[in-house]
Amino acid sequence: MSNQSLFSRGLLCVFLLWTVSLAQAQDLAVDVARQYVQDNAATLGLTDADVRGMKLTDVYTSNHNGVTHVYLQQRHQGIGVHNGLINVNVRGTDVLSAGNRFVSNLSGKVASSSPGLPAVDAATAAAGHVGLAVTEPLSLRESIPGSEQAGRLSRGGFALEDIPVRLAYQQLENGDVRLAWDVGIYTLDAQHYWSIRVDASTGAVLAQQDLVVHDNWGAPETASAGGLFDSPMSVLLTAPAAERAPMLNPDSYLVYPLPDESPQHGSTTHTLVTNPANGAASPFAWHDTNGAVGAEFTVTRGNNVDAYADRDGNNVPDPGSRPDGGASLDFNFVIDLGQEPPMYIPGAVTNLFYWNNIIHDVTYQYGFDEASGNFQVNNYGKGGTGGDDVRAEAQDNDLGGANCNANFFTPADGSRPRMQMFTCANTTPERDGDLDNGVIVHEYGHGISNRLTGGPGNVSCLNNTEQMGEGWSDWYALMLTQQSIDTGPQARGIGTYLFGQAPN
């Protein structure tokens, strides 16, 4: 047997031993979490029935600090409570913290566990509630066995994807609990993903959430000296008017690189970076999907993100809008900022691809990895559910409108999120959000916080008016674009390039 074969077998044995050890540690953490809930039931305001019905939904360990995160969902007669979670954070046998969103005495508040309303009727009611017309017959396409009667309905002429349905208990503001159909509707324009709970007896809408987080950055503001400006800063931002720079390097990207926030921030405007992928986060670099040496794509697509333009707003890549770096993965597309955004799509998409990958690789090292629900096609056997790279859409839906906007849709682990970046007409030529790296990071931050807060399988915990997702996203943007000369007292602007404002 060759030395290489022995080495490969040795690595496999180490990986298997690590996997077994991790599984044992997680099993212990789950036992510790369950025991914690049982021992503290009275303090948590729970009955014995509340504790007996709970089900493990997610468990993963953050490798950088050894903390195992355990998520338990409250259930009654096999049906879960929407956002009815207890999360317990365990290291070794110690409970570090816990959060409780269980309904006290659930069984005493549930009137029925059998729906009187068919799922199709619930979906019709949900569509009407958000102003959507059913133009095609709704029918059950897939049925999943179980008490929750989960399944998928046809699109009805108003949904972008098949409509998921399942039974769930919804707690009302007055403390009452109703059996409901949980209906998911991704609208045709991809501007909304409605999660709507419809009373399974009456058809009344009990609650709704939009899983697409919109960041309408608003109109430019004016301020006193030292604050915002009411007109664009006069600064030379143009590059040579050529589509491709005459340089060839393997895995190279001509971008506004980390930590520059935009073309008007940092010490340079457009820089060629080479081999930027982090070996731990992206072990086969950015254009891989099969976990073997060699790129599967020579365009702006890979394991972590699929970047393209969608100027017609139909939620599919515009033809030829993924720039091709060739066999050497040479993405050196010059941007002339004196032209309108449609004239430099290859450069804009390259920058969007680069920054989505950068955020993936940086946050991976702080715990947003495969097991915790990050965004990857192939999870390389490291836990979690794959098949969910980010669909990053450049200059999206720009039908002469210029939206000064951006959004991010976060489904549960295993389903593909979508980032939509827009342009802004506050200047001539327009500014492209795909070059405002702070905005890109902010949007991606919504995906991180939604996947982490309720566990990879529950992304609906940050939809109330007091949720912290916007602040967290700003924090990510500020941290990833800070310069070495920045100090705490200095003010920082967000989205200033997009609006044509000065950096401060």
Side-chain angles (χ1 to χ4, degrees), residues 49-88:
D50 293 333
V51 174
R52 285 196 304 271
M54 62 187 181
K55 176 186 177 182
L56 176 69
T57 57
D58 289 296
V59 56
Y60 65 89
T61 301
S62 294
N63 292 325
H64 68 289
N65 59 17
V67 176
T68 297
H69 311 276
V70 181
Y71 295 85
L72 303 166
Q73 184 188 38
Q74 188 175 23
R75 300 171 76 84
H76 173 67
Q77 295 187 1
I79 299 173
V81 177
H82 180 77
N83 279 347
L85 296 173
I86 288 180
N87 65 294
V88 185

Side-chain angles (χ1 to χ4, degrees), residues 341 344 348 395 422-424 430-436 497-498:
Y344 53 74
Q395 301 181 15
F422 299 86
T423 59
C424 188
E430 293 179 6
R431 293 286 175 89
D432 186 351
D434 303 294
L435 307 184
D436 198 319
Y497 173 76
L498 179 62

Side-chain angles (χ1 to χ4, degrees), residues 172-367:
L172 308 183
E173 289 186 3
N174 63 5
D176 292 344
V177 176
R178 296 282 187 273
L179 180 67
W181 285 106
D182 190 0
V183 181
I185 300 174
Y186 200 7
T187 59
L188 292 173
D189 59 6
Q191 296 300 296
H192 304 280
Y193 188 103
W194 296 112
S195 173
I196 303 175
R197 264 78 63 209
V198 178
D199 193 304
S201 295
T202 67
V205 172
L206 303 176
Q208 71 182 65
Q209 298 162 315
D210 189 356
L211 299 187
V212 178
V213 179
H214 295 264
D215 288 302
N216 190 339
W217 301 83
E221 300 177 10
T222 59
S224 58
L228 301 177
F229 288 72
D230 59 1
S231 62
M233 182 176 66
S234 176
V235 61
L236 181 63
L237 295 174
T238 57
E243 180 177 320
R244 194 177 181 96
M247 51 184 69
L248 293 173
N249 289 296
D251 287 78
S252 59
Y253 307 86
L254 191 59
V255 294
Y256 301 99
L258 181 80
D260 289 352
E261 187 172 337
S262 78
Q264 68 180 15
H265 291 77
S267 59
T268 184
T269 55
H270 218 191
T271 303
L272 185 73
V273 295
T274 303
N275 295 324
N278 177 271
S282 298
F284 300 94
W286 288 347
H287 298 267
D288 172 80
T289 54
N290 69 355
V293 176
E296 275 67 74
F297 299 99
T298 63
V299 295
T300 48
R301 185 175 184 181
N303 202 45
N304 311 323
V305 58
D306 179 9
Y308 50 85
D310 183 24
R311 289 190 58 82
D312 58 6
N314 67 351
N315 305 304
V316 296
D318 294 341
S321 67
R322 296 184 183 97
D324 196 329
S328 62
L329 301 177
D330 173 46
F331 294 88
N332 302 321
F333 299 97
V334 171
I335 293 175
D336 182 353
L337 294 171
Q339 297 182 325
E340 294 291 344
M343 302 305 296
Y344 53 74
I345 287 176
V349 174
T350 296
N351 195 71
L352 185 61
F353 177 80
Y354 164 86
W355 269 93
N356 270 263
N357 277 294
I358 285 291
I359 306 163
H360 168 277
D361 285 9
V362 170
T363 58
Y364 187 99
Q365 299 169 72
Y366 293 90

Side-chain angles (χ1 to χ4, degrees), residues 382-394:
K382 298 179 181 178
T385 306
D388 58 356
D389 56 318
V390 175
R391 294 170 287 188
E393 298 179 343

